[in-house]
Amino acid sequence: MRLSTLIGKTDLQFKGSDPDILGLALDSRKTEKGFLFAAIDGEKTKGNDYILPALQNGASAILYGGSYEIPEGFSNVVFLKSENPADDMAKIAAAYYPEQPQHLAAITGTNGKTSIADFVRQILVMQGKKAASIGTLGIIKNNEAPIPSPNTTPNCISIHKWLDELSKEGFSYTIMEASSHGIAQKRIGAARIKNAGFTNLTLDHLDYHKTMENYYQAKEGLFTKILETGGIAVLNADIDVYGRLREACLKSGKQVWSYGINGDKIKLLKSEALPKGQNLHIRFFGKEHNFYIPLAGAFQAMNVLCAMGLVAAMTGSAENIVEYVPQIKGAKGRMELVGETQGGAAVFVDYAHTPDALENTLRALREHTKAKLHVVFGCGGDRDNSKRPVMGKLAEELADVVYVADDNPRTENPEEIRRQIMAGCPHAQNIGNREEAIRLAVAGLAKGDILLVAGKGHETGQYIMGKVYPFSDQEVILKYL
């Protein structure tokens, strides 16, 4: 595709030859002859530092920002200076991979994105539609096995390549998770999103966003800058920022549907906790319904309501949704019942790795616990450390037995991470080795107890000093059960 065609929806300009671009790259190592390389800053890297390697690998065009002195010997290369390289690259990627599913939606919020995206896809498939989801679990087409993805929200080239492929394969319905990083870094800036949902906003990612206000602004950007005019925003009416977000949506020309106890279109009237699920009484677009969902926890009820709203928005109909909800299966690693001991204690795995998620999960399981509630958890390295003592305090307050274990320490000293957690839960057992912590926790269960192993969810590896070691909470739990 000619360069002039690729930059048609940007303000970029160039003189001279109009090369045929054979591919796109954000990584100089993956740049090949005839490619356009985008020099975009990372959290710890400067994009312009990688222009020369990209040139040496045969790039025909370079997209860059800031000041850069073009080296000699590359007069045949087109250099495109941009005021916002990330934004322009998203538009270029969308032009290079032009096809997108007709009904494209996104879900954002601190917690719940993965479950909601999975529920939306499941309901759409049960309705007989070809549907896909993109997010933490990877790319899932209909009910096929996930295709792994390195990030919750992949880079803009990967996103548009996948959207293009899904559209060409006939997947007219697709929902994607939109992380705050993905929104702020313009990874989904050129996606034609017609409907979007918002779950909640709680403490997380302050290592990147620095303040809760910045974090909120990143999330709000999905609705005010990316969601198409006239699109439907499905918002949680029970959270503190609801009024502010609703107003921002309306001012930017979006429709608003709300869900929750205070919801309008999707209202929770009553819920009843049962041993392995719950009964819900809701009002859905004016009609009342009673049904069972095989999912534990009040937050899962909220996730289901949001998913129902998004399906209605994507299909343009509220009919034939409620009848499928009882058949929903929990997403991998999200309040997943892994097994039970011979004595009758249950063991759950959940991805909860933020204070809000851990609190919600423990409170939810408390409703199902007849005796003691146990928890194994840790905090990731090279991430927001302010939440560590907060999560420790919550664990000690809400669980009866607490084990602090390693959870992706990455390049940090795992002992220091656990020390920061233990500041909030001084009575917890500090067991660094995660497998040993799980073994001890399972061995300590009695009839009527519940054990939550939190933090890793669907993950199958431990990230330690630049290496990934195979590790699955589910496999270890089953080993000791």
Side-chain angles (χ1 to χ4, degrees):
M1 188 178 292
R2 292 293 174 184
L3 179 61
S4 57
T5 302
L6 285 178
I7 66 172
K9 291 190 176 181
T10 73
D11 295 325
L12 299 170
Q13 297 180 350
F14 68 95
K15 295 180 180 180
S17 63
D18 187 7
D20 189 21
I21 301 300
L22 305 180
L24 307 176
L26 296 166
D27 186 333
S28 60
R29 296 167 297 182
K30 296 180 180 179
T31 304
E32 300 177 19
K33 186 176 181 179
F35 274 37
L36 181 151
F37 170 72
I40 297 175
D41 293 345
E43 292 183 42
K44 299 178 181 179
T45 59
K46 293 294 183 181
N48 289 357
D49 293 341
Y50 299 91
I51 292 178
L52 184 56
L55 291 169
Q56 293 169 337
N57 284 339
S60 293
I62 302 291
L63 176 70
Y64 73 102
S67 59
Y68 181 74
E69 186 174 341
I70 299 173
E72 295 181 3
F74 296 99
S75 58
N76 60 326
V77 177
V78 176
F79 286 82
L80 302 165
K81 186 170 183 178
S82 169
E83 293 297 322
N84 193 326
D87 190 42
D88 283 332
M89 189 57 193
K91 295 174 183 176
I92 290 171
Y96 195 84
Y97 299 105
E99 299 293 326
Q100 295 187 24
Q102 181 181 358
H103 305 283
L104 180 60
I107 177 69
T108 194
T110 307
N111 303 307
K113 297 185 295 295
T114 300
S115 290
I116 292 168
D118 207 62
F119 296 162
V120 167
R121 177 185 51 75
Q122 288 184 51
I123 295 171
L124 289 169
V125 170
M126 284 188 276
Q127 288 183 334
K129 298 174 173 61
K130 289 191 71 172
S133 56
I134 300 174
T136 307
L137 300 179
I139 305 167
I140 304 178
K141 302 175 182 179
N142 290 331
N143 292 322
E144 297 176 13
I147 300 170
S149 169
N151 302 100
T152 297
T153 307
N155 67 57
C156 64
I157 297 175
S158 295
I159 284 177
H160 288 290
K161 184 174 185 292
W162 290 335
L163 291 177
D164 187 81
E165 290 177 356
L166 288 170
S167 179
K168 290 175 178 175
E169 291 174 11
F171 287 88
S172 56
Y173 291 86
T174 298
I175 181 164
M176 58 194 300
E177 295 180 51
S179 68
S180 57
H181 289 69
I183 300 168
Q185 295 170 5
K186 312 293 184 181
R187 298 182 209 166
I188 60 172
R192 296 190 289 274
I193 295 172
K194 296 182 178 179
N195 304 288
F198 191 94
T199 62
N200 45 51
L201 187 78
T202 60
L203 182 64
D204 199 17
H205 301 306
L206 296 192
D207 54 324
Y208 177 79
H209 295 289
K210 307 305 180 186
T211 67
M212 286 299 291
E213 176 61 22
N214 291 344
Y215 185 32
Y216 167 81
Q217 289 291 343
K219 297 287 190 185
E220 185 189 90
L222 172 63
F223 301 89
T224 57
K225 300 176 182 178
I226 302 174
L227 179 61
E228 292 187 349
T229 300
I232 297 171
V234 181
L235 310 180
N236 185 342
D238 299 341
I239 58 175
D240 292 342
V241 298
Y242 168 68
R244 180 181 178 185
L245 183 56
R246 178 180 181 276
E247 187 67 20
C249 288
L250 294 175
K251 282 187 177 180
S252 58
K254 317 299 159 57
Q255 302 179 62
V256 174
W257 294 354
S258 66
Y259 67 94
I261 295 172
N262 297 303
D264 52 14
K265 303 294 185 183
I266 311 109
K267 187 177 183 65
L268 178 63
L269 300 174
K270 184 180 179 182
S271 62
E272 177 190 6
L274 299 173
K276 295 182 180 180
Q278 54 191 308
N279 284 327
L280 300 184
H281 181 198
I282 70 169
R283 183 179 299 120
F284 188 56
F285 290 90
K287 297 181 180 180
E288 292 193 17
H289 303 271
N290 287 284
F291 54 89
Y292 170 83
I293 57 172
L295 306 164
F299 65 93
Q300 284 285 48
M302 294 294 284
N303 289 341
V304 166
L305 297 186
C306 183
M308 292 173 68
L310 283 169
V311 171
M314 294 174 75
T315 62
S317 172
E319 300 297 323
N320 302 319
I321 294 178
V322 174
E323 64 186 272
Y324 295 114
V325 173
Q327 301 174 50
I328 284 177
K329 296 180 181 178
K332 179 71 173 177
R334 271 65 182 176
M335 196 64 101
E336 178 184 358
L337 176 60
V338 178
E340 295 178 312
T341 66
Q342 291 182 348
V347 184
F348 287 82
V349 162
D350 193 82
Y351 192 50
H353 59 278
T354 67
D356 181 67
L358 184 64
E359 178 179 4
N360 286 337
T361 306
L362 288 171
R363 288 189 185 282
L365 288 176
R366 175 62 74 184
E367 296 181 16
H368 303 266
T369 304
K370 296 180 180 178
K372 290 185 177 181
L373 178 58
H374 307 238
V375 62
V376 173
F377 83 104
C379 291
D382 302 330
R383 296 294 187 269
D384 181 8
N385 61 14
S386 66
K387 65 184 181 183
R388 294 170 185 170
V390 177
M391 291 178 67
K393 186 172 186 291
L394 286 168
E396 184 151 298
E397 289 177 351
L398 300 175
D400 301 301
V401 184
V402 180
Y403 302 83
V404 176
D406 293 340
D407 179 356
N408 295 333
R410 298 184 177 87
T411 65
E412 280 195 68
N413 182 337
E415 292 183 5
E416 176 59 19
I417 295 174
R418 296 197 308 275
R419 186 194 67 77
Q420 293 176 17
I421 297 171
M422 293 290 294
C425 52
H427 300 103
Q429 296 186 52
N430 185 345
I431 312 292
N433 184 288
R434 192 173 182 89
E435 178 167 348
E436 177 63 9
I438 292 172
R439 185 190 72 79
L440 289 171
V442 170
L445 294 174
K447 183 178 180 180
D449 286 356
I450 285 181
L451 166 62
L452 168 66
V453 181
K456 297 187 66 62
H458 64 286
E459 294 178 350
T460 56
Q462 274 275 52
Y463 292 75
I464 304 172
M465 289 299 172
K467 294 183 179 181
V468 182
Y469 297 88
F471 194 95
S472 163
D473 282 347
Q474 290 89 338
E475 289 181 5
V476 173
I477 291 165
L478 290 172
K479 175 180 176 180
Y480 294 109
L481 280 178

